[in-house]
Amino acid sequence: MERDDEQRLQALAECRDRIDEVDLKILELLNERTRAVEQIGLIKQQMSMPIYEPKREEEVYRNIREHNQGPMPSDSVKRVFERIIDEMRQVQRLRMIQRNRDRESAAAPATLTPKTVPRPSGSGGDPGCSHNQ
C-alpha cells in the first residue's frame, strides 16, 4: 500500500472517531431534550392540553432555520427535527398512557384473585367439568 493511502486511511479513521464522539454528544442532548419533553407532557396532561401543537412546532422549525449556519442545508435540518419532534410526541403519548394506568391502578380497589382449586386425587379430570377424560 502506498504511503498516501496509509495517510488517507488514518485520516478516515480519525474522522470516524470524531463522528463517534459527536454521536455521543447528540445522544446526550437528545436525552436532555426528552427529559424536558416529559415535563412538558406532564404539564399538558394536567392542563388537558393536546400533545400536538402545530404552532409550537412551526416555532421550532423557524428557530432552527434562522440559526442554521450550515453546512447542512436548512431543509435537511428541518427533516431531522421533524423526526425528532415526532419521536418526542410519541414519548409524551407513552408517558401519558403510563400515568393514566398508574392513576387508575392506584384508584382501583384491590381485586381478589381466585384460589386454585385442587383436583381430586386420581380423577385426572377437570373438577369443573361433568366428565372425566
Side-chain angles (χ1 to χ4, degrees):
M1 189 178 288
E2 291 183 30
R3 182 151 173 80
D4 286 345
D5 286 344
E6 289 176 17
Q7 289 175 337
R8 287 183 186 113
L9 287 173
Q10 180 62 33
L12 180 63
E14 289 170 6
C15 288
R16 288 179 174 163
D17 288 344
R18 232 176 32 237
I19 286 174
D20 290 345
E21 290 173 19
V22 171
D23 286 347
L24 293 177
K25 289 176 185 177
I26 292 170
L27 178 61
E28 183 179 329
L29 291 171
L30 285 170
N31 283 315
E32 182 179 334
R33 190 181 201 286
T34 302
R35 286 187 285 278
V37 163
E38 288 175 326
Q39 291 175 327
I40 290 169
L42 177 61
I43 294 166
K44 285 180 175 182
Q45 188 173 22
Q46 292 167 340
M47 296 180 65
S48 298
M49 294 174 66
I51 292 172
Y52 178 60
E53 293 186 81
K55 288 181 184 178
R56 173 59 187 147
E57 289 184 17
E58 283 306 316
E59 290 173 10
V60 171
Y61 300 141
R62 184 172 38 259
N63 184 42
I64 59 160
R65 279 192 307 265
E66 289 172 2
H67 290 90
N68 182 32
Q69 296 179 3
M72 190 173 193
S74 290
D75 288 348
S76 298
V77 172
K78 183 179 183 227
R79 283 192 301 274
V80 169
F81 272 82
E82 285 171 343
R83 186 68 187 147
I84 290 169
I85 289 171
D86 185 51
E87 290 300 321
M88 296 298 153
R89 262 192 256 117
Q90 184 64 13
V91 166
Q92 284 186 353
R93 276 188 206 97
L94 293 172
R95 296 299 184 267
M96 284 182 176
I97 290 168
Q98 186 60 50
R99 282 191 293 271
N100 286 339
R101 285 182 185 153
D102 292 347
R103 192 175 26 238
E104 289 169 4
S105 295
T111 56
L112 298 176
T113 56
K115 292 184 180 179
T116 304
V117 178
R119 290 184 169 182
S121 61
S123 74
D126 184 342
C129 292
S130 59
H131 65 280
N132 288 330
Q133 294 181 4

